[in-house]
Amino acid sequence: MPKVIVWDNPQPNEIVYKYPSEEIDTGSELIVRENEAAVFYRDGKVYAVFNAGRHVLTTLNFPVLEGLTKLVHGGRTPFVATVIFVSLKRFQGKFGGRSQTRELAPIAFNGSFWFEVRDVSVFVNKVVGAQSLYTTDELNNYLRGYFNERAMKNISNYSIYDLYQNLDNVTKEMTYKLREDFMEIGIDIPAIKFEGIDVTDPVWRDRLFWLRSGVAGQTVLQMETIDKAAESLGKSPGAAIGSGIVLIPPLLQQPTPQAQQPATPAPTTPPPPPPSAPAASVVSQSQQPTTYQPKCPSCGSSVPQNAKFCPNCGVQLKWCKNGHVAPIAAKFCPECGVAFL
């Protein structure tokens, strides 16, 4: 009675199945269901791929099997080969890892990707047979690692702003690139979906907010220096009050060009005294009071004094004790440097 070779009771999430016996009698029946393929594999080589249908295994019907029968027993049967069934359905995989952006901001990401086997020979030669991966868990772990390695490389080409504001475009571009990588192992990637992506260091969120608000990079670094200085002072009880008053104001000052100019020699004779100013002297420009015009740090529109939200873009605002507007996340006022309690 001929042997029947079939994938018994395939489960919905199973990707491959290895037939338990490697001794194949000539005349055996091979049954391949829809959305399946069967591969005869031996010594690191695919000898034949069978698509859906009922196949009687003889060298007359399939001359390629003649090579297998000659490998052992001088051409007698049974011949030895590993029969691997491969599901051609679409599966969902998970990915997740850590990378960094173009600005070296640390990023954690995770999501799902969908895959299906397109080239059975390549898939068995490079993954299943070459790696001896015959269970769903083993294959999922391998594909997850394969995906993560290439996703990390691609994410490093984007800026933190791209990942937060243009994630749809990033996803499309990465899907195209990852499909090329996966086709090298016989798999197609129809779609990927990021379910979570975030910076692992919260400092980068503050940097992104300030830079997108139009604050110069030097000012952002200056505010971070103030924050770290205040934190260090706060670790010493009693020292922060006295020292902070002396330390923080110089940090807020911009470098003056006079500090880089060589000092001019003092004149040998004193200059004549300046003429006496009239009673109603004109106030110098530096002494003239300036009117503070509060503007939204996000969109730059004028906002009413003490407004809680920008009437133009809706971003939440707060005010320092000197009447200056600042973003709700600010720790120090960008106008006068006073700390928000």
Side-chain angles (χ1 to χ4, degrees):
M1 184 175 181
K3 182 185 295 185
V4 177
I5 303 172
V6 66
W7 186 348
D8 288 323
N9 193 27
Q11 299 301 307
N13 65 332
E14 285 187 295
I15 305 171
V16 297
Y17 168 73
K18 178 183 177 184
Y19 187 70
S21 175
E22 294 188 349
E23 293 188 352
I24 311 299
D25 294 314
T26 300
S28 298
E29 287 189 349
L30 174 67
I31 300 176
V32 184
R33 299 186 179 91
E34 292 293 330
N35 294 319
E36 291 179 4
V39 177
F40 278 55
Y41 182 80
R42 178 182 168 85
D43 299 329
K45 178 181 177 181
V46 171
Y47 276 84
V49 177
F50 297 88
N51 296 318
R54 182 183 296 268
H55 311 278
V56 179
L57 302 177
T58 66
T59 57
L60 181 62
N61 294 338
F62 301 100
V64 70
L65 299 181
E66 185 175 0
L68 286 172
T69 61
K70 290 181 179 180
L71 288 175
V72 292
H73 305 310
R76 299 191 305 271
T77 60
F79 59 87
V80 177
T82 302
V83 181
I84 303 171
F85 289 86
V86 179
S87 176
L88 304 179
K89 296 187 301 183
R90 181 172 296 185
F91 297 94
Q92 180 179 357
K94 292 290 186 179
F95 67 86
R98 294 175 181 268
S99 183
Q100 61 185 21
T101 66
R102 198 165 56 209
E103 309 92 343
L104 305 183
I107 287 288
F109 62 91
N110 64 83
S112 299
F113 67 100
W114 286 260
F115 65 94
E116 54 191 63
V117 178
R118 284 295 180 87
D119 193 323
V120 178
S121 294
V122 173
F123 179 63
V124 172
N125 269 330
K126 292 191 174 182
V127 181
V128 180
Q131 309 290 335
S132 297
L133 306 176
Y134 297 109
T135 69
T136 298
D137 288 341
E138 290 173 339
L139 280 169
N140 280 332
N141 289 336
Y142 176 85
L143 295 177
R144 184 184 301 113
Y146 192 88
F147 188 102
N148 286 342
E149 181 180 354
R150 284 145 185 82
M152 291 165 58
K153 177 182 177 181
N154 279 279
I155 286 176
S156 64
N157 295 323
Y158 294 98
S159 69
I160 188 173
Y161 176 76
D162 292 331
L163 297 178
Y164 274 90
Q165 300 295 326
N166 298 319
L167 187 57
D168 288 344
N169 291 334
V170 172
T171 302
K172 291 178 183 178
E173 293 177 1
M174 285 188 58
T175 301
Y176 177 78
K177 295 176 182 177
L178 288 170
R179 289 184 74 179
E180 291 184 339
D181 292 332
F182 270 80
M183 284 306 297
E184 294 181 1
I185 58 174
I187 292 179
D188 184 31
I189 302 291
I192 68 175
K193 179 181 180 182
F194 284 96
E195 297 166 359
I197 188 164
D198 199 4
V199 290
T200 57
D201 186 350
V203 171
W204 280 96
R205 290 195 195 93
D206 297 337
R207 288 179 180 175
L208 176 64
F209 176 84
W210 287 110
L211 292 174
R212 293 305 301 170
S213 299
V215 179
Q218 181 181 358
T219 304
V220 173
L221 295 176
Q222 187 182 57
M223 291 192 300
E224 290 179 5
T225 302
I226 295 172
D227 192 12
K228 291 178 180 178
E231 182 179 356
S232 298
L233 290 170
K235 294 179 181 178
S236 177
I241 298 177
S243 303
I245 297 174
V246 177
L247 175 63
I248 292 180
L251 292 175
L252 291 169
Q253 296 176 359
Q254 298 291 335
T256 58
Q258 287 85 350
Q260 301 177 356
Q261 296 177 355
T264 56
T268 55
T269 58
S276 58
S281 60
V282 179
V283 180
S284 65
Q285 184 175 359
S286 61
Q287 296 176 335
Q288 290 180 355
T290 57
T291 303
Y292 172 68
Q293 296 292 334
K295 295 183 180 296
C296 174
S298 177
C299 67
S301 301
S302 298
V303 296
Q305 191 72 27
N306 295 324
K308 294 183 178 180
F309 297 91
C310 174
N312 183 49
C313 66
V315 70
Q316 191 173 1
L317 308 171
K318 65 180 178 182
W319 302 79
C320 77
K321 64 182 182 180
N322 294 326
H324 300 137
V325 67
I328 193 66
K331 297 180 181 178
F332 295 90
C333 176
E335 290 288 335
C336 63
V338 68
F340 289 101
L341 301 179

